[in-house]
Amino acid sequence: MMKTPITVSVTGAAGNIGYALLFRIASGSMFGPEQPVNLRLIEIEPGMKALQGVIMELDDCAFPLLNDVVATSDLEEGFKGANWALLVGSVPRGPGMERGDLLKVNGGIFTGQGKAIAATAADDVRVLVVGNPCNTNALIAMNSAEGVPNDRFFAMTRLDENRAKSQLAAKGGVHNSDITNMCIWGNHSATQYPDYTNAKINGKPVTETITDTEWLQGEFISTVQQRGAAIIKARGASSAASAANGVVDTVRSLTNPTPEGDWTSIAVCSDGSYGIDAGLIASMPIRVDAEGNWDVVPGVELDAFSKEKLDATVQELRDEKAAVADLL
Ligand SMILES: NC(=O)c1ccc[n+]([C@@H]2O[C@H](COP(=O)([O-])OP(=O)(O)OC[C@H]3O[C@@H](n4cnc5c(N)ncnc54)[C@H](O)[C@@H]3O)[C@@H](O)[C@H]2O)c1
Ligand SMILES: O=C(O)C[C@H](O)C(=O)O
C-alpha cells in the first residue's frame, strides 16, 4: 500500500531556488525513494505564469513519487496541511548589498506566512526559512505563528557548512566526506563563524592536517563568510542550485538520525545555550536522535578566538531583532 504522502509547501516556487529545489523534492532526494509527496506551491501573482511552466515541467518528469501539485497565491490555501513549509520566496540581494539590507524589503512577508502556517498547516509542521536575512525572517515567522512551538522553526546555514567543508577539504587535500563536526555559529551573514577549532578531518582535529593557523583564522573564515557575495559577483545572481541542495540536506538531517559523534549546522530558536540570547534564531551544532527529535549538542568547547567570533555574530542578530521590533 502507498505510504501517506508528505505535504511540502514551498514559497517563491517559480524563483531560481524553487526551480532547482522542486525537482529534487519530487524525485525523492529529500524524503527518500519510497515516500510520496504533495507539493503546494506558493507564488505572488506576477510569478504565477512562470509557476505554471514549472508545473508543466514537473508533469513532464512523470515522477512516481509526486502525488499532487497545487499552485496558489493564497497563503492559507498554500500552507493547508503542510508537514513542511519551505519559505524561500523573497527578494535576493544584489551586488554590494549585505543580506541584512533586505530586512525592510522581505521582513513583512514572514508575518503573513507565519499566521497562515498557524491557521492551516498540519499539527506537526516544520518550517525552514531560506529567504534572506533568513535568521531574522525565521524569527518573524515564529513570532507570528501563534500556537506553533518554537522548536519547529529553522533557518538555513547548511549551505555555509557545506562551503566550509569544501574549503577545508581542498586545503587539506582530503575529500569533503572526511570533514565532520563543522559548525557554523550565529547568523547566515558576513559575521557567521565557521568553527574550524571543533571541526575534524578523519576524526582528528583539523589543525593536525592543516597547520596554517593564519589561513584558518583569516582566509578560510572570510571565504566562507563572503561566498554568497562571490557567487553573486560571478554569476550575476545569487546561489540557487547549491542553496536548493542545502535545503535538501537540512531536511534530510532533520528527518534522519545524526551519525554518531557528528553534528550539523541549523539556525534554531536559542534556549540560551552557549550564551546566545534565548529566543534568537541562531545557528549552532544540532543533532537528531532516532525518534527524529533535535537537540543542541552540549559541551562544545569554545576558545577565546571562537568566543569573540560568536559574540560578534550574536550581536548582529540582536541588532537585526531590534530593527524589526515592530514585526515581532
Ligand atoms: N539561506 C541561504 O543559504 C540562502 C541561499 C541562497 C539564497 N537565499 C535567499 O533565498 C531567497 C530566494 O532566492 P532566489 O534566488 O530563489 O530568488 P528569485 O528572485 O529567483 O525568486 C524568488 C521568488 O520568490 C517570489 N516571491 C517574492 N515574494 C514572495 C511572497 N511574498 N510570497 C511568495 N513568493 C514570493 C518571487 O516572485 C520569485 O519567484 C532570497 O532571499 C535569497 O537571498 C538564501
Ligand atoms: O549571499 C546571498 O545573498 C545569497 C545566499 O544567502 C548565499 O549565501 O549564497
Side-chain angles (χ1 to χ4, degrees), residues 1 5 9 27 66 69 81 132 169 184 189 201-202 206 210 213 242 261 269 273 297 322:
M1 205 177 76
S9 296
S27 69
L66 186 54
V69 182
N132 278 320
I184 303 294
S189 76
I201 296 182
N202 289 318
V206 160
I210 304 174
T213 310
S242 57
C269 181
S273 299
V297 178

Side-chain angles (χ1 to χ4, degrees), residues 174-207:
V174 297
H175 192 261
N176 299 326
S177 55
D178 296 329
I179 319 280
T180 59
N181 303 84
M182 182 67 240
C183 179
I184 303 294
W185 293 91
N187 201 3
H188 172 63
S189 76
T191 66
Q192 68 179 272
Y193 173 46
D195 178 7
Y196 74 90
T197 68
N198 285 292
K200 292 183 178 152
I201 296 182
N202 289 318
K204 302 208 171 93
V206 160
T207 45

Side-chain angles (χ1 to χ4, degrees), residues 158 161 165 179-185 195 197-200 253 258-266 274 284-288 295-301:
R158 180 56 167 269
E161 176 186 322
K165 283 181 170 170
I179 319 280
T180 59
N181 303 84
M182 182 67 240
C183 179
I184 303 294
W185 293 91
D195 178 7
T197 68
N198 285 292
K200 292 183 178 152
S253 288
T258 309
E260 190 60 36
D262 202 0
W263 57 62
T264 189
S265 310
I266 308 178
Y274 297 102
M284 41 193 126
I286 300 298
R287 67 178 175 201
V288 175
D295 244 325
V296 178
V297 178
V300 176
E301 296 280 337

